Amino acid sequence: MKSAVFILILLSSVCYSQKKYPEKYFQSPLDIPLVLAGTFGELRSNHFHAGVDIKTQGKEGLKVYAVAGGYVSRIKIQQYGYGKAIYITHPNGYTSVFGHLSKFKKEIESFIQTIQYKKERYETGNIYPKEGQFTIKKGEVIAFSGDTGGSGAPHLHFEIRDTKTEKIINPLFFGLQIPDALAPTIRTLKIYPLSKGARIYQQNTSTTVPFKKIAKRKYTAERVFANGLIGFGINVYDLLNGAQNKNGIYSLEMLVNGKRHYYHDVETFSFSESKFLNLLIDYEYYKKYKRKIQKLFKEEKNKLSIYDNLINDGKVNIQEGLNYVIEIIAKDFQGNQSILKIPIIGQSNNAILKKEKDTTNYKIIANNFQKFTEKNVTIAFPKNTFYADTFIDFKVDAGIAQVHMPIIPLDKSYTLTFNVSKYAALEKEQLYIANLEYPKYPRYVYTKKKDSTFYTTTKTLGTYTLRKDSLSPEIKMLYIVNNQWISKAKTLKLKISDSDSGINNWSATIDGKWALMRYNHKKNILTYNFSDKKLFGSKHIFKIVVSDNVGNTSEHSLTFFRKI
């Protein structure tokens, strides 16, 4: 039975890739059975997932292997994002990428650590070793798995890119074997009126349509009475063998009376187009209900390259007196599919319930630069910040600026400016701009300060205000007290926190020399590894300075002893 499943998986992969990619060139990056926590092209917040997330059995420190021979072409360490990441360029035209690592192999770790101590900074930015500096063999241990960066739990983020174009390609095309016999699950169906006279159930507003499961992998919806130009959208997820994660699907297809009308898949994409995910989904629905509806029609400004041979951009023109059968087919990479059938009856009615016209004092002309001021707050939108002309709400009350609701996706950042001329110099030092999407948890947004104005640039509409932070960060040493002998300790740890604007920076020294502190922002713990550098003598002085986002600082020092 297992061999039959394996053959099915292999045949499915070959069928999908049509031998466009080398399927036997790369090996697995881990020596454990591969189970995914995240699939390629999965819909994340404002972007597509650029690789696969491989579970590491809830542990850190698993050996990570080079999937093929090549050389280390790039190394990057950042607090968020991919955390500790390594890029290996291969002679066959592809580059493999490994993220959220705990550490690199010894030679690379030493190389990077030298750079960190030279810069006196944990984050390195992009480091590009010379081509022959770190030559890698297939199957060589290059690093160890971890939980660094924006990871939610220990796992390995793995990508394959075209070296020349840097387009990311679904790693499953290269023979990575992931057992999957489960079809996608469809949760929500929505239908949208796309023209002025269009209607669904006599209304010209988007409608959620009930449906039921009638057989394994098959669904059917209630009859829909509609007329005019309409579009469809579904919320769908996929499960894989051995995991409970609700992952993304591979492709979406729509047939109208048996003829393909819409198709997209996530074989490959570029980082530059990833932002258009916000036009693929029903953005307003997502912001309100935290659930992504994928549209089976293409918006005018959507520049995604994932579509294939759309008819009328996936929009369906329902005519009076005609019947239609819409079939939506959701597939995962292995070809498991679920089908939702929707019977449509073309029915006209003169009693159309018209949608109330959306008008405010602030009309946005997408192709124009526009600037509005209310009281002491100014908003400025560059040309083409919005994808389409629209009306927005803008009001300022008791120092709180309401810039519409965060339900419209933006293509560019706009500028939000507060006039702070009424505040004294000390108050200005402690003020910052905060986003109030969650009023109980104001979120600091990067604030640029001038004498009379504070401003920020953001792609998020919503509620903002000025907040004051007069409290310094807190520092708590862990597992050590002043004048303690810690000869057997491998690390020195402390916890840092800030109750308002948040931690911005830290700097530590041991005996007056800079010490590399690794920050786990999920646990607010800083760690120094005694293996980094040899300490001379038995008595040592540790000192740390921590600052928040408005410049409040805290200092802490202690003496510890270690045997030479």
Side-chain angles (χ1 to χ4, degrees):
M1 182 64 183
K2 289 184 177 178
S3 61
V5 172
F6 175 81
I7 292 170
L8 178 62
I9 290 169
L10 185 60
L11 288 176
S12 298
S13 298
V14 172
C15 177
Y16 267 99
S17 65
Q18 299 177 341
K19 298 184 178 179
K20 290 170 59 178
Y21 305 105
E23 296 180 19
K24 297 182 180 180
Y25 188 88
F26 297 108
Q27 71 162 64
S28 173
L30 298 172
D31 60 3
I32 59 173
L34 300 187
V35 179
L36 298 187
T39 51
F40 182 84
E42 207 164 70
L43 309 183
R44 299 290 175 87
S45 177
N46 293 315
H47 67 280
F48 292 101
H49 187 222
V52 292
D53 288 341
I54 305 173
K55 288 177 176 286
T56 55
Q57 300 174 338
K59 299 181 290 189
E60 299 184 45
L62 271 63
K63 293 178 180 178
V64 176
Y65 298 92
V67 293
Y71 67 93
V72 176
S73 53
R74 181 178 169 192
I75 304 167
K76 187 175 184 180
I77 298 180
Q78 56 188 147
Q79 192 58 55
Y80 297 93
Y82 289 1
K84 298 187 77 165
I86 190 168
Y87 300 66
I88 298 178
T89 295
H90 308 285
N92 68 339
Y94 296 101
T95 295
S96 54
V97 183
F98 309 80
H100 306 309
L101 304 169
S102 60
K103 62 180 178 179
F104 308 115
K105 74 171 191 170
K106 186 176 180 181
E107 297 85 351
I108 299 174
E109 189 74 21
S110 177
F111 167 72
I112 284 296
Q113 199 173 105
T114 299
I115 293 173
Q116 290 173 313
Y117 271 91
K118 185 177 180 180
K119 292 184 174 183
E120 295 191 351
R121 184 175 177 83
Y122 171 74
E123 294 187 307
T124 62
N126 288 312
I127 303 297
Y128 299 96
K130 296 179 181 178
E131 184 170 333
Q133 190 167 358
F134 298 110
T135 301
I136 301 296
K137 296 180 180 179
K138 184 175 183 177
E140 178 181 349
V141 175
I142 55 169
F144 299 86
S145 67
D147 187 24
T148 57
S151 165
H155 72 272
L156 175 67
H157 175 87
F158 176 65
E159 297 178 15
I160 295 181
R161 303 182 184 182
D162 182 293
T163 301
K164 186 175 181 180
T165 66
E166 287 211 334
K167 289 194 77 172
I168 322 102
I169 304 160
N170 194 326
L172 301 189
F173 279 115
F174 296 85
L176 205 64
Q177 295 299 317
I178 309 294
D180 180 12
L182 305 175
T185 298
I186 301 173
R187 293 198 292 189
T188 307
L189 167 66
K190 285 197 72 177
I191 306 181
Y192 302 82
L194 301 178
S195 63
K196 187 176 180 180
R199 68 187 184 281
I200 301 122
Y201 296 128
Q202 311 305 328
Q203 299 191 53
N204 57 354
T205 56
S206 61
T207 303
T208 300
V209 177
F211 62 90
K212 61 183 178 180
K213 194 169 187 177
I214 57 172
K216 189 176 182 181
R217 305 179 178 185
K218 292 184 179 181
Y219 304 81
T220 186
E222 292 183 354
R223 284 191 306 171
V224 176
F225 296 92
N227 187 261
L229 198 64
I230 64 174
F232 298 82
I234 64 169
N235 174 261
V236 58
Y237 68 85
D238 187 43
L239 294 176
L240 287 81
N241 295 9
Q244 295 300 314
N245 307 76
K246 290 181 171 63
N247 296 313
I249 61 171
Y250 175 74
S251 69
L252 264 182
E253 181 179 13
M254 182 176 69
L255 309 180
V256 179
N257 292 337
K259 182 179 180 180
R260 178 190 277 187
H261 207 80
Y262 173 95
Y263 179 82
H264 87 251
D265 64 42
V266 285
E267 175 184 337
T268 181
F269 62 87
S270 64
F271 283 107
S272 62
E273 64 181 291
S274 197
K275 66 179 179 179
F276 295 109
L277 172 146
N278 288 332
L279 293 180
L280 170 67
I281 66 171
D282 183 333
Y283 188 81
E284 180 176 348
Y285 187 89
Y286 166 62
K287 297 301 288 187
K288 287 181 177 179
Y289 305 108
K290 305 304 178 188
R291 184 173 287 189
K292 297 183 178 73
I293 300 283
Q294 297 192 55
K295 299 174 184 174
L296 288 101
F297 58 94
K298 184 181 177 184
E299 299 281 7
E300 180 183 354
K301 296 293 182 69
N302 189 341
K303 298 179 181 179
L304 286 172
S305 62
I306 63 176
Y307 301 104
D308 183 39
N309 295 324
L310 304 185
I311 295 178
N312 196 27
D313 286 333
K315 302 167 185 176
V316 183
N317 189 22
I318 304 298
Q319 299 182 38
E320 182 181 357
L322 297 182
N323 296 340
Y324 303 79
V325 176
I326 308 297
E327 293 178 83
I328 296 176
I329 306 167
K331 291 184 181 180
D332 60 26
F333 183 83
Q334 304 300 350
N336 302 305
Q337 67 180 31
S338 291
I339 302 174
L340 169 59
K341 288 190 177 183
I342 311 151
I344 305 288
I345 311 297
Q347 184 183 76
S348 180
N349 190 312
N350 293 327
I352 296 176
L353 299 177
K354 293 184 178 180
K355 184 179 178 181
E356 185 178 345
K357 192 174 181 181
D358 187 5
T359 59
T360 70
N361 291 329
Y362 303 99
K363 184 178 181 180
I364 297 294
I365 306 298
N367 291 328
N368 294 347
F369 168 82
Q370 287 170 287
K371 184 177 181 180
F372 308 110
T373 299
E374 279 286 337
K375 298 179 181 178
N376 291 319
V377 180
T378 300
I379 49 176
F381 299 102
K383 290 174 60 175
N384 300 315
T385 298
F386 291 80
Y387 290 110
D389 296 351
T390 189
F391 290 91
I392 66 167
D393 294 308
F394 176 42
K395 61 182 179 181
V396 179
D397 184 24
I400 297 175
Q402 177 72 54
V403 188
H404 203 66
M405 298 288 289
I407 57 175
I408 302 175
L410 303 183
D411 187 68
K412 297 179 181 179
S413 295
Y414 69 98
T415 303
L416 170 67
T417 304
F418 285 82
N419 187 313
V420 295
S421 56
K422 69 177 183 178
Y423 295 98
L426 180 59
E427 285 182 293
K428 290 179 184 178
E429 290 181 7
Q430 298 176 337
L431 289 174
Y432 66 93
I433 300 174
N435 177 283
L436 299 180
E437 182 175 0
Y438 305 102
K440 290 185 177 180
Y441 305 100
R443 177 174 56 85
Y444 170 88
V445 294
Y446 182 65
T447 305
K448 300 175 185 178
K449 297 185 176 184
K450 292 185 177 180
D451 287 341
S452 60
T453 58
F454 288 0
Y455 67 98
T456 190
T457 54
T458 178
K459 290 179 73 172
T460 304
L461 301 173
T463 307
Y464 295 86
T465 191
L466 290 174
R467 279 184 62 92
K468 182 179 179 180
D469 180 4
S470 59
L471 301 175
S472 297
E474 294 183 2
I475 302 172
K476 181 182 179 182
M477 302 300 302
L478 301 176
Y479 321 119
I480 184 174
V481 295
N482 196 36
N483 293 320
Q484 183 177 344
W485 280 89
I486 54 170
S487 300
K488 293 183 180 181
K490 294 181 179 180
T491 61
L492 188 152
K493 294 178 180 283
L494 59 145
K495 188 170 186 176
I496 59 176
S497 60
D498 187 81
S499 60
D500 205 321
S501 61
I503 299 294
N504 176 56
N505 196 18
W506 61 89
S507 181
T509 60
I510 295 178
D511 302 333
K513 295 182 179 179
W514 187 81
L516 175 60
M517 305 295 295
R518 299 154 178 88
Y519 183 43
N520 184 328
H521 63 269
K522 287 158 274 193
K523 297 181 180 179
N524 294 324
I525 291 178
L526 285 169
T527 302
Y528 172 78
N529 291 331
F530 284 113
S531 60
D532 284 356
K533 281 194 170 187
K534 184 177 180 180
L535 300 179
F536 297 95
S538 59
K539 181 180 180 180
H540 306 283
I541 298 174
F542 172 79
K543 182 179 180 180
I544 186 165
V545 179
V546 181
S547 61
D548 63 21
N549 279 301
V550 299
N552 298 312
T553 61
S554 293
E555 296 183 14
H556 187 82
S557 61
L558 60 74
T559 300
F560 65 89
F561 297 87
R562 286 176 69 86
K563 290 181 181 179
I564 299 175

